[in-house]
């Protein structure tokens, strides 16, 4: 499967959504210090793009189904590069926040189009494997991008924003490497297709999956945003160390999503596998505030990644199985939107805990959210209804 050039291009494009926050998170403490930002407010710089991804992924997924995935993917990659690099030239909070929002809108197009192409290229077991490879690739780029951001930003925080320029050459590669049947004009979504989409997205089981994806992202982004602040406070870590810790979080996720998540889901069932993943995430989040040695912090970050690597591909695999082939872009884009909405909400929900109770309370709250998410799906594991419009 990895020999398929189209898959490699899609993996590279999809990984740029990881880059959106992965590059900024390690340099956040330096930005706060040099630009004199409020820490609780500045946390939104890491998550602002998540809101616009959540808002733009569903409509751009529908547009990709109608116009063609490539016609959405290539312009999104170009705008991604332009808006991302623009952040380097912003010296005040609100203009910088605006560029982060525009970056997220472009990322929404990338996520919707690349996931839609992936969903139509493969079926059944192959699609589950492709989703596992995708999650593992996202995890691997989750290792690389914080390291790159921390390393480049160690000279000056502005330099980290130049990494977003990778979107430009990738747009050219995608334009020449990915081929679709030409769609000369946009056709309105057929009434029965629109009805099917509403049935799928409005089904209680789908809504629980979307809610669980959001809660997963709230807990995961607590580590992305607040771990660098915790490291700065406890061991006076610089951008390079922050990048290493954030990267180590993805090591466990890369291994388990590629080699273990699918087997665990088969052995105990998807809902129980997800509950196990959430349990690991909660346990490691509770442990973070009592750790002061870098080696133990790194180990905890790896174990957190293992839990996340179990949860995410299993959730997406279940969601993909609910959708007819003609609506996979739209349904998977809704899942992407739900996930990024959770990332955006993470500092909004956890910021007051930081302001009034400190960093320890942030991690304890995130752990509680993980446990609630696991119980939410596990409690309904006896009901995994099929959706009647699935066959098309």
């Amino acid at each position: 499967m990895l020999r398929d050039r189209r898959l490699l291009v899609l993996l590279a494009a999809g990984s740029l959504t990881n880059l959106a926050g992965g590059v900024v998170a390690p340099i956040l403490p330096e930005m706060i210090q040099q630009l004199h930002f409020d820490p609780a407010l500045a946390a939104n710089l890491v998550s602002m793009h998540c809101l616009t991804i959540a808002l733009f992924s569903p409509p751009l997924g529908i547009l990709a189904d109608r116009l063609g995935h490539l016609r959405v993917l290539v312009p999104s990659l170009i705008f991604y590069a332009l808006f991302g690099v623009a952040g380097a030239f912003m010296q005040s909070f609100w203009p910088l926040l605006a560029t982060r929002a525009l970056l997220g809108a472009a990322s929404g197009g990338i996520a919707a189009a690349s996931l839609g192409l992936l969903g139509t290229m493969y079926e059944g077991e192959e699609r589950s494997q492709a989703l596992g490879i995708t999650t593992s690739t996202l995890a691997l780029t989750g290792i690389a991008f914080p390291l790159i951001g921390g390393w480049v930003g160690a000279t000056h925080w502005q330099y980290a924003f130049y990494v977003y320029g990778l979107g430009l050459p990738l747009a050219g590669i995608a334009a020449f490497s990915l081929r679709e049947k030409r769609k000369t004009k946009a056709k309105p979504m057929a009434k029965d297709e629109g009805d099917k989409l509403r049935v799928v997205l409005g089904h209680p089981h789908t809504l629980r999956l979307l809610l669980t994806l959001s809660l997963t992202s709230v807990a995961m982004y607590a580590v992305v945003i607040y771990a660098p602040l915790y490291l700065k406070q406890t061991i006076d870590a610089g951008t390079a160390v922050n990048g290493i810790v954030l990267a180590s979080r993805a090591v466990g996720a890369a291994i388990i999503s590629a080699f273990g998540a699918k087997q665990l889901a088969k052995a105990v069932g998807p809902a129980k596998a997800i509950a196990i993943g959430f349990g690991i995430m909660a346990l490691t989040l509770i442990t973070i505030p009592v750790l002061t040695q870098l080696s133990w912090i790194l180990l905890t970050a790896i174990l957190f990644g293992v839990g996340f690597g179990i949860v995410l591909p299993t959730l997406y695999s279940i969601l993909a199985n609910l959708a007819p082939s003609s609506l996979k872009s739209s349904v998977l884009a809704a899942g992407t939107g739900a996930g990024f909405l959770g990332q955006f909400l993470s500092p909004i929900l956890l910021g007051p805990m930081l302001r009034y109770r400190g960093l320890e309370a942030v991690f304890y709250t995130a752990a509680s959210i993980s446990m609630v998410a696991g119980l939410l799906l596990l409690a309904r594991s006896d009901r995994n209804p099929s959706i009647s419009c699935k066959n098309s």
Side-chain angles (χ1 to χ4, degrees):
M1 183 173 287
L2 286 174
R3 294 180 181 178
D4 189 339
R5 183 178 61 180
R6 297 175 304 163
L7 177 59
L8 295 177
V9 174
L10 287 176
L11 292 176
S15 68
L16 291 184
T17 59
N18 244 5
L19 179 64
V23 165
V24 174
I27 63 173
L28 181 63
E30 298 302 318
M31 293 174 66
I32 291 173
Q33 184 176 0
Q34 293 184 28
L35 299 177
H36 309 291
F37 291 159
D38 179 297
L41 189 62
N44 291 284
L45 292 172
V46 184
S47 64
M48 182 63 206
H49 69 282
C50 302
L51 173 62
T52 46
I53 290 177
L55 292 176
F56 281 84
S57 288
L60 288 175
I62 294 171
L63 187 65
D65 283 331
R66 294 170 57 189
L67 279 179
H69 302 91
L70 198 57
R71 290 185 174 183
V72 172
L73 180 61
V74 173
S76 296
L77 287 167
I78 295 171
F79 285 121
Y80 176 95
L82 295 177
F83 295 140
V85 173
F89 304 100
M90 305 299 163
Q91 296 292 313
S92 56
F93 178 78
W94 295 109
L96 181 55
L97 191 69
T99 65
R100 302 295 295 166
L102 293 170
L103 175 72
S107 298
I110 295 171
S114 57
L115 269 176
L117 276 168
L118 194 67
T120 56
M121 282 166 53
Y122 303 102
E123 292 293 336
E125 287 291 322
E126 281 194 343
R127 186 176 61 226
S128 296
Q129 183 182 359
L131 287 169
I133 292 172
T134 300
T135 305
S136 131
T137 301
L138 291 175
L140 288 171
T141 55
I143 297 170
F145 291 151
L147 288 174
I148 293 171
W151 175 62
V152 176
T155 303
H156 196 285
W157 65 264
Q158 288 175 306
Y159 297 162
F161 285 86
Y162 298 148
V163 182
Y164 293 119
L166 290 171
L168 282 179
L170 193 52
I173 295 171
F176 286 102
S177 299
L178 302 176
R179 291 286 182 267
E180 291 187 289
K181 292 182 179 179
R182 183 175 295 275
K183 299 184 180 181
T184 56
K185 58 182 293 187
K187 296 181 180 179
M189 179 179 286
K191 184 178 185 300
D192 62 334
E193 290 296 297
D195 291 340
K196 288 178 182 179
L197 181 59
R198 283 189 289 273
V199 169
V200 173
L201 295 180
H203 196 280
H205 187 56
T206 306
L207 293 174
R208 281 194 297 274
L209 288 170
L210 296 177
L211 176 58
T212 305
L213 278 167
S214 291
L215 294 176
T216 304
S217 297
V218 171
M220 183 273 291
Y221 235 55
V223 175
V224 174
I225 295 173
Y226 297 105
L229 299 179
Y230 175 76
L231 292 171
K232 184 74 173 179
Q233 175 181 292
T234 55
I235 61 175
D236 195 28
T239 59
V241 173
N242 288 336
I244 291 171
V245 172
L246 291 176
S248 66
R249 166 188 59 93
V251 172
I255 296 172
I256 196 70
S257 22
F259 303 109
K262 180 180 174 182
Q263 288 77 7
L264 181 62
K266 280 187 175 181
V268 302
K272 290 182 180 179
I274 290 170
I276 290 170
F278 276 125
I280 296 172
M281 290 172 63
L283 181 62
T284 51
L285 284 165
I286 291 171
T287 306
I288 289 175
V290 300
L291 300 177
T292 56
Q293 293 188 358
L294 183 59
S295 58
W296 285 106
I297 292 171
L298 289 172
L299 177 60
T300 301
I302 292 172
L303 291 175
F304 178 86
V306 169
F308 182 70
I310 293 171
V311 170
L312 195 64
T314 310
L315 283 173
Y316 270 114
S317 182
I318 296 172
L319 192 62
N321 288 333
L322 297 179
S325 59
S326 61
L327 297 175
K328 288 194 189 302
S329 289
S330 303
V331 174
L332 289 174
T336 302
F340 279 107
L341 179 61
Q343 292 181 27
F344 170 73
L345 291 174
S346 187
I348 295 176
L349 296 175
L350 300 175
M353 302 303 296
L354 172 64
R355 183 174 283 112
Y356 299 113
R357 302 296 298 273
L359 280 168
E360 293 84 358
V362 168
F363 293 114
Y364 294 147
T365 303
S368 300
I369 290 171
S370 294
M371 289 186 285
V372 168
L375 292 173
L376 176 69
L377 211 58
L378 184 61
R380 310 291 288 188
S381 63
D382 56 324
R383 300 179 185 179
N384 186 16
S386 59
I387 299 177
S388 60
C389 71
K390 180 179 176 181
N391 297 322
S392 64

